[in-house]
Amino acid sequence: MSTREVFTDRLQAGVLLLPTMVVSLVFLYYPTVRAVGLSLYRASLARGDVFVGLENYRRLASSSEYLRSVLISVLFAACVVVGVMAVALCISFLIHEIDVGKGLYLVAVIWPYALPPAVAGLVFLFIAHPNIGIFTSYIEAFGVDVNWFSNGPQAFVVVLIAAVWKQVGYNVIFMTAALGNVPESLTETAELDGVSRTRRLLRVYVPIISPTLVFLVIMNTIYGFFGTFAMVDLMTKGGPAGATNILIYDLYRTAFQFYEFGFASAKSVVLFVAVGLLMYGQFRLSDRYAYYGG
């Protein structure tokens, strides 16, 4: 018997939805409309607001620095999604396969996700710092000169590893739960047929938990574009030479370092539309490849 309560009184349903609607209007829809409007102005603290139409968008389209930031952001988000999904899937499968100490392994994997992004950035800063990093000497023992304060590709890789490390725990929570719902009879049948663990993971488990994987791909994409600001700010500040200047950090610099609020609003609108289109594409793709049963 269903325990869901159905509200037939529209007034009662409206009152219950009112807090959510107010919060959405104040913190989501109004800022969105305000950002779109402000993107049509040359807004600054010193000269006030001057209507310029689509000038900010034309300036974006002709800015080589901004286009480079777009490419870096897309590459960074793609690497985050692939890295997080691959590492989390392997760890979740290993945890799923063991019988003893599963809870301890889960806690050990999940705790980085419990850290605030700023704290996670500081922790990884001291882990991989070129001079005082805990692991720096071990890496340099392999002939690698660790100096990601001046080496762009190294800085990109270090921030990427930190971002993956921070997000793996979130994915493991969902993947472990999804693997726990796989019928035991499938596992027993695969074992009796002599299917290896790798093939069992890729050919049996992954198709069954594909709805969860699609959800995580979408959440990781959003995280790759919007959730790594604190790490970039603490570890590299977008440098060196713009190697880690992803769009969300570039937007922050435009608004709060250069005080070009209209130009920053145009960047936020473009970022919002681009990520929205990406989400739409992922949802359409999930309908084709995800297995929802039935």
Side-chain angles (χ1 to χ4, degrees):
M1 181 177 178
S2 174
T3 58
R4 292 178 57 190
E5 185 174 357
V6 179
F7 294 95
T8 56
D9 188 341
R10 292 186 176 182
L11 178 60
Q12 187 180 19
V15 171
L16 292 173
L17 287 174
L18 187 60
T20 301
M21 294 172 66
V22 170
V23 171
S24 298
L25 285 172
V26 172
F27 295 105
L28 181 62
Y29 297 114
Y30 173 73
T32 302
V33 173
R34 178 66 176 148
V36 173
L38 197 60
S39 69
L40 304 177
Y41 286 81
R42 184 186 298 120
S44 64
L45 291 176
R47 292 174 293 183
D49 298 351
V50 179
F51 182 77
V52 294
L54 299 177
E55 177 59 30
N56 287 324
Y57 294 97
R58 282 194 287 268
R59 186 179 165 192
L60 280 180
S62 61
S63 171
S64 59
E65 183 180 353
Y66 180 73
L67 296 177
R68 183 169 181 261
S69 181
V70 171
L71 291 176
I72 290 173
S73 300
V74 171
L75 177 62
F76 183 78
C79 292
V80 165
V81 172
V82 173
V84 169
M85 296 293 292
V87 174
L89 186 60
C90 291
I91 294 175
S92 301
F93 180 64
L94 293 174
I95 293 175
H96 175 72
E97 289 288 292
I98 63 173
D99 297 321
V100 180
K102 187 175 293 188
L104 291 176
Y105 287 114
L106 273 174
V107 171
V109 173
I110 292 171
W111 78 265
Y113 176 68
L115 296 174
V119 175
L122 279 175
V123 169
F124 215 84
L125 176 66
F126 288 110
I127 288 177
H129 193 282
N131 299 323
I132 60 174
I134 299 171
F135 294 130
T136 301
S137 59
Y138 299 105
I139 298 173
E140 289 180 335
F142 292 95
V144 179
D145 182 20
V146 178
N147 190 4
W148 47 273
F149 286 164
S150 60
N151 186 310
Q154 279 194 22
F156 184 91
V157 171
V158 169
V159 176
L160 174 63
I161 294 174
V164 171
W165 171 72
K166 175 74 173 67
Q167 187 69 357
V168 161
Y170 176 84
N171 286 252
V172 168
I173 295 172
F174 285 91
M175 289 183 185
T176 304
L179 289 171
N181 290 327
V182 175
E184 188 64 28
S185 58
L186 285 177
T187 303
E188 293 174 355
T189 303
E191 289 176 348
L192 288 174
D193 289 342
V195 179
S196 66
R197 287 188 172 185
T198 304
R199 286 176 63 84
R200 182 162 21 117
L201 170 63
L202 299 178
R203 299 297 179 87
V204 179
Y205 291 164
V206 167
I208 293 177
I209 67 172
S210 55
T212 300
L213 298 181
V214 169
F215 165 75
L216 291 174
V217 166
I218 293 170
M219 297 306 295
N220 291 333
T221 303
I222 296 174
Y223 169 74
F225 277 101
F226 297 106
T228 55
F229 169 83
M231 296 179 190
V232 173
D233 187 43
L234 284 167
M235 297 176 70
T236 63
K237 297 194 179 303
T244 57
N245 190 32
I246 59 177
L247 286 174
I248 191 67
Y249 191 74
D250 183 58
L251 192 159
Y252 161 77
R253 293 179 61 199
T254 303
F256 300 107
Q257 290 186 2
F258 306 131
Y259 302 109
E260 296 184 76
F261 300 116
F263 195 37
S265 297
K267 289 183 176 180
S268 69
V269 171
V270 171
L271 181 59
F272 174 77
V273 172
V275 175
L277 291 174
L278 192 59
M279 295 300 101
Y280 176 76
Q282 290 180 340
F283 275 120
R284 292 297 299 269
L285 199 65
S286 69
D287 291 337
R288 181 177 301 177
Y289 293 105
Y291 173 73
Y292 293 97

